[in-house]
Amino acid sequence: MHHGFSVCVCHSERRRGQLAALSIAAVVILIGVPLWWRTTETYRAWLPVSQIQELANLQLQLSADVEVVFARGTVTPEQQKKVPLTLTQDDEHVVDGDLRTTICDLMVTKYEGCKVSNVLNSFVSRGHSVEVQDVDVYVGQRRTALLRIGAQTRVGRTLEQLLSHLEPRVKQVLQVMSFSHTDITAALSDRVRLSPGNKESIADSMRAFKSSPGYEITFSLLNPDPKSHRLHWDIEGAVQTYIQPLLRKLAPLANFSIDSQTLYYAMLGVNPRFDSSRSAYTLNSDSLAHVINPVEARLGSNAASSNPVLNFLLYVPDAHHSPLHINDHKKQEVPSNAFHSPRWGGIMVYNVNDFYGPEAAFPVDINIDMAKVMGVFLAQLRLLLGVQSSAPPPRFLVAPCSSAGIADWELDRLMWSRSVENIATATTTITSLAQLLDQIGNIVINDNIAQQVSSAVTSLQLAVAELESGNLRFALQYSKEAILASERAFFDPSLLHLLYFPDDQKFAIYIPLFLPMCVPILLSLLKIVSDARQRRREKHAKAD
C-alpha cells in the first residue's frame, strides 16, 4: 500500500507540473506574445499611395487661349463667312521620362472694325528709335499684340494664304508672351537633367532665384574713401518710386522685405588696372567673380530668416582709382557700368570724379542720381526674380517697362513658371518621402505626417487643375501650399533615422530578455510531448 501511494503522488506531481508548464506557455503565447507585438508595433498612418504614384507620372495639359481680331478690310465678307471659329493646335513637350507638357493653342477669330496699321504707327512712334516699316508685331504692356500683314500678302490672297501667314506669327507671339519649351525646361531645371547643348535653358535656370515664399532685398552703399567724398542717397524715396510698384505687382508670388545700409572703407577684392589709352581704371569680366567674396563678408546676413537674400551694391570708387569702368569679354565698356551674379545680386560702379574739380574741398558732398542707379538695379532685379527678357524675334517690338516695372503678360508667364516649378518640387518631395517610408518599414508615420502628406497631395491636385484651367493665381497659391505641406512632412523630427534601429539591433536587445524565460518553457513543452508519445507507445504495446 505504501508503494502504491508513492506512485500516485509522483504521478499527481508530474501532472501538476505539466499543467503549470502548459498554463505558462498558454499565457505567454495567447496573452504575452500578442501584447508584446501590439505594444512594439510601428504605428503607420494611412497615406494616399495611389494618388502619390499618379503624381510621379505627372502630365500637364497646359493651354493658352488666343483671340484673333481681324481689322476692317483684312478679309472680304465672303472670306469672313468661311473663317473657322476655333482652331486648336497641340504641341507635346517631353521634358523627361516622367513629366510631359502639352500646350494647346486655342484661336478664336472675330471681325471688328479698326485700322491696325494706324494703331501700330501710333504705338511705334511713341519714343521708339525704330522705323514703323521695320515692325510687323508690337507687343504691349497688357495682354495684347498688334500684328500687321504686308501689302503683298493682302493683294489677291486667299483665306488659306492669309491663315498660313498668320499662324507662324501667332506662334511667335505665344513664345514671347506665353510659355515655350525653354521656359518649361528652365522651370523644371532642378528636377530635369538639362542637356549640355541647351545653353539657353541652363543660363535662364541658373540666373534667377528659385521659388521661395519670401525674399529679402538689401541695398548697400559702399564708400571706400570717406575722406574724399561724403555720399548722400535717398534710398527710401528711390525704393518707393522704382521698386515698390514692381513688388506690389509681384505680391501674389512671395513676400518681400527691403533694407539698406552704408558701408565705409569697403574695398573690392580685385585691384583695377589702369588703362592709359582711356585714362581710366578698368575691371575685366574675367576678374568680376573675385570682386564679391571680400565685400560679401561685410554685408552681414539675417540668420533668423531662411529666405534668399538679393544683394544690390552701389560702389563709389576712391579718388585714387577714379574713374572705374567695367569691361565685357570683348574689352568694351559696359554701358550700365554694372554686372550681376546669378542667384546673388548685382554691383554697380558709380563714378563721381567729375564732382571733384580743381578747387574742390575734400571731402566733397555728392548727391547720387537715384534714377540712374535704380534703373540698373530694377533691370537686375527683374533678371534675378525670373522675369524673362529674352530678345524678341525679328520685326518684333516689345513695349518698354511701365512704371510698375513688369508687363501683365510677363507677370502671367512668371506666375505660370513659378506654379510649374512649385508643382514639380512638391511632387518630387512627396514621392521621395513615400519611397523612403516604403523602404524603411519601421519608421513611425504619425497622424500629423499623414495629414501633411494628404494636404500636399490635395493641394497639388488642385494646383494642376487650376493651372490647366488657366487660373494662374489660384494655381500659384495651391502650389505654394503644396510646397509648405510637403516640406513640413519631409522634415518632420519624428522621421529622423537616429530614432529607429535596424532589425539586427532589435534582435540583440530582445534575445537576452526573452531567451532565459523561453528556454525552460520550451523544454517543459518538449518534455510533455515526449511523455505523451511514451504513453502512446505503451498503450499500443499493451494492446498488442
Side-chain angles (χ1 to χ4, degrees), residues 44 59 90 92 103 154 161 180 190 270 313 354 358 421 519 527 533 539:
R44 297 174 68 87
Q59 293 188 4
D90 295 343
E92 184 177 36
I103 300 178
R154 296 199 302 267
Q161 292 173 339
S180 62
D190 284 355
V270 177
L313 279 58
D354 293 338
E421 180 184 346
V519 169
K527 179 63 175 174
R533 289 180 178 176
K539 288 180 181 179

Side-chain angles (χ1 to χ4, degrees), residues 73-106:
T74 306
V75 293
T76 64
E78 293 77 13
Q79 291 175 335
Q80 180 184 355
K81 297 177 183 179
K82 300 178 182 180
V83 172
L85 293 180
T86 59
L87 290 175
T88 304
Q89 296 182 356
D90 295 343
D91 188 10
E92 184 177 36
H93 295 261
V94 180
V95 183
D96 64 359
D98 297 329
L99 195 145
R100 297 170 180 264
T101 60
T102 301
I103 300 178
C104 307
D105 304 332
L106 176 63

Side-chain angles (χ1 to χ4, degrees), residues 410-461:
E410 287 180 321
L411 179 60
D412 292 342
R413 187 171 61 180
L414 185 58
M415 294 174 64
W416 175 89
S417 177
R418 293 302 195 196
S419 299
V420 172
E421 180 184 346
N422 290 343
I423 289 173
T425 302
T427 300
T428 303
T429 303
I430 288 298
T431 53
S432 300
L433 178 60
Q435 293 175 359
L436 174 68
L437 297 177
D438 181 64
Q439 294 174 359
I440 306 178
N442 61 342
I443 290 185
V444 174
I445 306 176
N446 56 41
D447 294 333
N448 179 52
I449 294 177
Q451 180 182 0
Q452 296 294 343
V453 171
S454 299
S455 176
V457 171
T458 302
S459 298
L460 277 171
Q461 294 172 340

Side-chain angles (χ1 to χ4, degrees), residues 509-529:
I509 294 173
Y510 288 131
I511 287 178
L513 293 177
F514 295 127
L515 187 60
M517 179 184 68
C518 293
V519 169
I521 296 175
L522 182 61
L523 293 177
S524 299
L525 293 178
L526 293 177
K527 179 63 175 174
I528 293 173
V529 173

Side-chain angles (χ1 to χ4, degrees), residues 258-326:
I258 303 177
D259 56 18
S260 62
Q261 61 182 344
T262 300
L263 301 178
Y264 297 97
Y265 300 102
M267 305 296 295
L268 298 180
V270 177
N271 292 324
R273 297 180 179 179
F274 183 74
D275 187 350
S276 57
S277 62
R278 289 182 288 182
S279 299
Y281 290 87
T282 61
L283 283 175
N284 295 324
S285 59
D286 54 357
S287 62
L288 296 180
H290 307 286
V291 171
I292 297 177
N293 289 341
V295 178
E296 188 177 24
R298 295 197 54 187
L299 294 179
S301 62
N302 188 359
S305 175
S306 59
N307 294 329
V309 179
L310 286 72
N311 297 284
F312 295 97
L313 279 58
L314 181 62
Y315 180 77
V316 180
D318 58 274
H320 301 289
H321 295 92
S322 295
L324 177 61
H325 298 288
I326 298 176

Side-chain angles (χ1 to χ4, degrees), residues 169-377:
R169 283 299 189 189
V170 172
K171 286 187 176 182
Q172 288 179 321
V173 171
L174 274 174
Q175 291 180 353
V176 173
M177 301 182 67
S178 185
F179 39 80
S180 62
H181 184 74
T182 301
D183 299 323
I184 296 171
T185 309
L188 303 175
S189 58
D190 284 355
R191 172 173 176 158
V192 181
R193 180 176 297 177
L194 298 177
S195 60
N198 199 348
K199 297 181 180 180
E200 185 176 358
S201 298
I202 296 175
D204 291 340
S205 64
M206 292 300 295
R207 179 189 299 118
F209 279 87
K210 305 312 292 180
S211 180
S212 174
Y215 298 92
E216 297 182 13
I217 302 175
T218 300
F219 294 97
S220 302
L221 175 61
L222 277 58
N223 186 356
D225 189 11
K227 296 180 181 179
S228 298
H229 38 241
R230 283 192 297 261
L231 304 177
H232 307 279
W233 67 334
D234 183 16
I235 187 62
E236 294 183 6
V239 167
Q240 291 296 328
T241 304
Y242 299 98
I243 303 299
Q244 285 295 351
L246 172 62
L247 300 187
R248 281 193 289 267
K249 295 274 287 190
L250 297 178
L253 277 78
N255 299 320
F256 295 90
S257 62
I258 303 177
D259 56 18
S260 62
Q261 61 182 344
T262 300
L263 301 178
Y264 297 97
Y265 300 102
M267 305 296 295
L268 298 180
V270 177
N271 292 324
R273 297 180 179 179
F274 183 74
D275 187 350
S276 57
S277 62
R278 289 182 288 182
S279 299
Y281 290 87
T282 61
L283 283 175
N284 295 324
S285 59
D286 54 357
S287 62
L288 296 180
H290 307 286
V291 171
I292 297 177
N293 289 341
V295 178
E296 188 177 24
R298 295 197 54 187
L299 294 179
S301 62
N302 188 359
S305 175
S306 59
N307 294 329
V309 179
L310 286 72
N311 297 284
F312 295 97
L313 279 58
L314 181 62
Y315 180 77
V316 180
D318 58 274
H320 301 289
H321 295 92
S322 295
L324 177 61
H325 298 288
I326 298 176
N327 293 340
D328 57 17
H329 62 280
K330 296 182 180 179
K331 306 299 182 181
Q332 301 295 324
E333 288 187 11
V334 177
S336 63
N337 211 26
F339 70 96
H340 76 277
S341 177
R343 299 189 184 182
W344 183 84
I347 297 180
M348 178 181 180
V349 177
Y350 190 90
N351 291 308
V352 298
N353 54 292
D354 293 338
F355 293 88
Y356 294 155
E359 299 179 357
F362 292 93
V364 180
D365 286 300
I366 296 174
N367 293 316
I368 296 176
D369 183 3
M370 297 307 297
K372 176 181 178 182
V373 172
M374 300 311 288
V376 174
F377 285 161

